[in-house]
């Protein structure tokens, strides 16, 4: 190996180690790391019920049709559960694969933006280092799978436009873009084609490629591949449940965006703190990269549009949740890698170290946060992790003078320690134990008297997941959709009016009920009065004997 190759290998080495450490943290699954309520448990229980019913067309939650999301995450989760068993690890496996794949696509995207190999590796590192990247690359949500296919769609579409413009073969890339867009649509619906389409059109218009882009998007194999992959499920679902198409496209897309019908509203600046905290390790570099990518002629301009369009779209939406921003994070990571300062310039590194230190102080100083992490079993894990975070961030300042890859690796190791602390601390949090504790108590009480388990004005996805069966719910709808159930006997068995519950409660027959803590006083003053078997979080298991 000559001196140049040795130097290059020496520069890549710390980045490779940092990537491996980050991936290990993404894949870590501590004992007792149960699924989080309500989203992770929902996206595990639905595929479990699909397998139990032998029906992969109609998603069901608590035995009732559930059409809020398309089925791709359910399908891949069902496959994982069938192969590896009904465990949290199996439920999170597809999301972790998608997160790892997205990090690889970020590396490819950065190379396509003209960045050097070491900077492209830094982009993948900054994607996984960001708390929002770490969290949604391992959490059982639709957003991780969506972001993988969203990213693949954009990269394939951009590549097809450039190939056609250069007179090279492009049809296969256009077909790939159509296939990835179909997979993204089957993960989360229309945003999978609306947003990538808007990004490609805006980029093409700004760089005078609009005619070529329109031809690639519409006069190509892309629409055909998309339709072939998407249409069968839509047709089958509508045939089984008339009215599904209207509900899915009007209620779950147009009304969610234009109104507050989903009750997830927020100010127009809602995603500003989400991004600042979620992308804190690379925030300073992102701002530098943003400033360098303002010209349409710059290779990074595509990623600026990508980030901006996703950010603005969801900021204007009537429905807002932090995971919605995740499809913008691959673009943010590329822009952050573009903004890494040259060796010898330490101002940006000082700023990132100061932010990491301020973040650590906030964990211990903000009362709401401190109360969650102050217990000895959690603090004993998180305190050393935060210490490593601060040390790694300031070590990066020292190495930034003449070893930028090592500086990036130090930031990555510091934030990896924090993320590992969060992973290891999660099983010790009350929320992680809640469903298991309630299910164990409910099963024991039900066996004692041969009693049914009923959710009174309450339902937890995780209770069905732990019990491995739907439970009747009384005087409750929540996110359940009983009106889609075409069989009255099934609907009536699972969805009770409150009178049916109270008639059974007062009949002298034993009943086990899941209730919210705010309804507990009413239950304990009923006839017969409820006896609390177990409470956990904001829920309790009660019996009428």
């Amino acid at each position: 190996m000559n001196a140049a190759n040795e130097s290059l290998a020496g520069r890549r080495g710390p980045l490779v180690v940092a990537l491996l450490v980050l991936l290990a943290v993404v894949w870590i699954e501590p004992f007792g790391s149960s699924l989080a309520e309500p989203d992770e448990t929902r996206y595990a229980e639905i595929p479990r019920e699909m397998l139990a019913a032998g029906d992969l067309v109609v998603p069901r939650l608590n035995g009732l049709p559930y059409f809020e999301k398309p089925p791709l995450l359910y399908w891949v989760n069902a496959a994982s559960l069938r192969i590896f068993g009904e465990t949290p690890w199996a439920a999170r496996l597809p999301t972790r694969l998608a997160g790892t794949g997205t990090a690889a696509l970020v590396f490819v995207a950065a190379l396509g933006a003209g960045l050097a190999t070491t900077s492209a590796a830094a982009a993948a590192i900054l994607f996984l280092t960001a708390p929002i990247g770490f969290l949604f690359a391992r959490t059982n949500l639709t957003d991780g799978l969506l972001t993988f296919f969203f990213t693949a769609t954009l990269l394939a579409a951009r590549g097809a436009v450039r190939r056609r413009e250069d007179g090279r073969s492009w049809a296969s890339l256009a077909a790939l873009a159509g296939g990835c867009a179909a997979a993204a649509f089957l993960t989360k619906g229309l945003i999978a084609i609306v947003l990538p389409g808007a990004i490609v059109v805006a980029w093409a218009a700004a760089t005078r490629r609009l005619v070529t882009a329109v031809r690639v998007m519409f006069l190509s194999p892309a629409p055909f591949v998309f339709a072939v992959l998407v249409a069968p499920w839509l047709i089958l679902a509508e045939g089984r449940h008339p009215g599904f198409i209207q509900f899915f496209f009007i209620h779950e897309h147009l009304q969610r965006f234009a109104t507050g019908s989903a009750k997830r509203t927020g100010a127009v600046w809602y995603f500003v703190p989400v991004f600042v905290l979620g992308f804190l390790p690379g925030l300073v570099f992102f701002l530098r990269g943003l400033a360098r990518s303002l010209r349409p002629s710059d290779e990074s301009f595509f990623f600026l549009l990508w980030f901006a369009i996703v950010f603005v779209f969801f900021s204007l939406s009537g429905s807002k949740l932090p995971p919605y921003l995740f499809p913008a994070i691959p673009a943010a990571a590329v822009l952050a890698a573009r903004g890494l300062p040259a060796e010898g310039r330490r101002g940006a590194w000082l700023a990132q170290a100061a932010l990491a230190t301020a973040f650590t102080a906030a964990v211990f100083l903000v009362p709401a946060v401190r109360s969650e992490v102050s217990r000895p079993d959690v603090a004993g894990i998180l305190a050393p992790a935060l210490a490593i975070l601060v040390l790694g961030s300031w070590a990066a300042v020292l190495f930034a003078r003449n070893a930028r890859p090592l500086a990036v690796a130090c930031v990555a190791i510091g934030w990896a320690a924090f993320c590992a602390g969060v992973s290891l601390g999660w099983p010790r949090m009350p929320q992680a134990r809640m469903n298991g504790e309630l299910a164990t108590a409910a099963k024991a009480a039900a066996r004692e008297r041969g009693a049914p388990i009923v959710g009174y004005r309450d339902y937890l996805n995780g209770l069905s997941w732990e019990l491995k069966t739907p439970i009747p719910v009384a005087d409750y709808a929540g996110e359940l959709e009983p009106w889609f159930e075409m069989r009255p006997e099934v609907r009536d068995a699972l969805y009770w009016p409150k009178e049916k519950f109270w008639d059974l409660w007062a009949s002298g027959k034993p009943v086990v009920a899941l209730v919210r803590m705010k309804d507990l006083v009413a239950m304990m003053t009923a006839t017969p009065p409820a006896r609390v078997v177990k409470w956990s979080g904001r829920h309790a298991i009660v019996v009428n004997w």
Side-chain angles (χ1 to χ4, degrees), residues 1-17 118 343 402-406 409:
M1 182 183 290
N2 59 38
N5 288 335
E6 288 178 357
S7 175
L8 184 59
R11 295 176 68 81
R12 290 177 178 173
L15 299 177
V16 172
V17 171
T118 53
E343 290 181 353
N402 52 19
R404 192 177 75 171
L406 192 54

Side-chain angles (χ1 to χ4, degrees), residues 157 161 170 174 193 196-198 200-201 212-223:
V161 170
W170 59 274
I193 52 176
V200 171
V201 166
T212 303
V214 170
R215 288 173 177 169
V216 167
M217 292 170 67
F218 298 106
L219 303 176
S220 76

Side-chain angles (χ1 to χ4, degrees), residues 396-476:
V397 177
L398 298 177
F399 290 117
R401 183 182 299 276
N402 52 19
R404 192 177 75 171
L406 192 54
V408 172
C410 286
V411 171
I413 297 300
W415 282 95
F418 168 72
C419 293
V422 171
S423 296
L424 295 171
W426 166 247
R428 294 163 170 78
M429 301 297 288
Q431 300 94 320
R433 302 192 300 267
M434 179 180 69
N435 285 315
E437 292 175 347
L438 293 173
T440 299
K443 283 190 289 188
R447 281 197 302 266
E448 179 185 339
R449 296 288 183 96
I453 301 172
V454 183
Y456 174 67
R457 304 188 69 185
D458 195 8
Y459 174 71
L460 290 172
N461 309 303
L463 191 62
S464 290
W465 165 257
E466 295 286 348
L467 295 173
K468 307 304 179 189
T469 183
I471 64 171
V473 293
D475 194 23
Y476 181 86

Side-chain angles (χ1 to χ4, degrees), residues 214-293:
V214 170
R215 288 173 177 169
V216 167
M217 292 170 67
F218 298 106
L219 303 176
S220 76
F224 175 75
V225 172
F226 179 88
V228 166
L229 294 177
V230 164
W233 178 69
L234 294 174
I235 294 170
L236 289 171
E238 176 67 22
R240 296 268 293 275
H241 292 274
F244 154 71
I245 294 290
Q246 189 276 340
F247 175 82
F248 182 72
F249 286 103
I250 303 301
H251 181 272
E252 287 302 305
H253 287 85
L254 298 181
Q255 289 182 3
R256 275 181 182 263
F257 175 78
T259 72
S261 61
K263 299 180 180 179
R264 297 167 179 170
T265 57
V268 71
W269 44 264
Y270 176 94
F271 287 105
V272 172
V274 171
F275 178 69
V276 168
L277 290 174
F279 202 71
L280 196 63
L283 183 63
V284 176
F285 311 125
F286 167 81
L287 295 175
R288 286 171 53 87
L290 204 66
R292 296 179 176 184
S293 306

Side-chain angles (χ1 to χ4, degrees), residues 56-263:
L56 295 179
V57 174
V58 179
R60 291 181 178 275
L61 179 61
N62 200 42
L64 303 168
Y66 184 84
F67 285 124
E68 288 200 9
K69 298 291 185 295
L72 186 57
L73 180 65
Y74 310 147
W75 290 343
V76 294
N77 277 2
S80 181
L81 296 178
R82 173 61 61 85
I83 295 170
F84 299 106
E86 295 175 0
T87 67
W89 184 88
R92 290 177 176 134
L93 174 61
T95 301
R96 283 180 165 130
L97 290 172
T100 303
T102 304
L105 290 177
V106 168
F107 175 81
V108 172
L111 290 177
L115 299 184
T117 303
T118 53
S119 294
I125 287 170
L126 289 169
F127 171 76
L128 292 173
T129 298
I132 191 172
F134 158 77
L135 183 62
F136 298 127
R138 73 184 303 276
T139 306
N140 181 32
L141 299 175
T142 55
D143 305 274
L145 198 63
L146 167 69
T147 298
F148 172 76
F149 288 116
F150 191 102
T151 302
T153 299
L154 282 168
L155 297 184
R158 185 193 193 206
V161 170
R162 285 184 154 179
R163 280 178 169 270
R164 176 158 185 164
E165 185 182 48
D166 295 341
R168 295 182 291 162
S169 174
W170 59 274
S172 59
L173 268 182
L176 177 63
C180 291
F185 175 88
L186 287 172
T187 301
K188 207 160 184 180
L190 281 175
I191 61 167
I193 52 176
V194 171
L195 292 183
I199 292 164
V200 171
V201 166
W203 167 73
T207 57
R208 301 181 181 180
R209 295 181 170 101
L210 187 57
V211 173
T212 303
V214 170
R215 288 173 177 169
V216 167
M217 292 170 67
F218 298 106
L219 303 176
S220 76
F224 175 75
V225 172
F226 179 88
V228 166
L229 294 177
V230 164
W233 178 69
L234 294 174
I235 294 170
L236 289 171
E238 176 67 22
R240 296 268 293 275
H241 292 274
F244 154 71
I245 294 290
Q246 189 276 340
F247 175 82
F248 182 72
F249 286 103
I250 303 301
H251 181 272
E252 287 302 305
H253 287 85
L254 298 181
Q255 289 182 3
R256 275 181 182 263
F257 175 78
T259 72
S261 61
K263 299 180 180 179

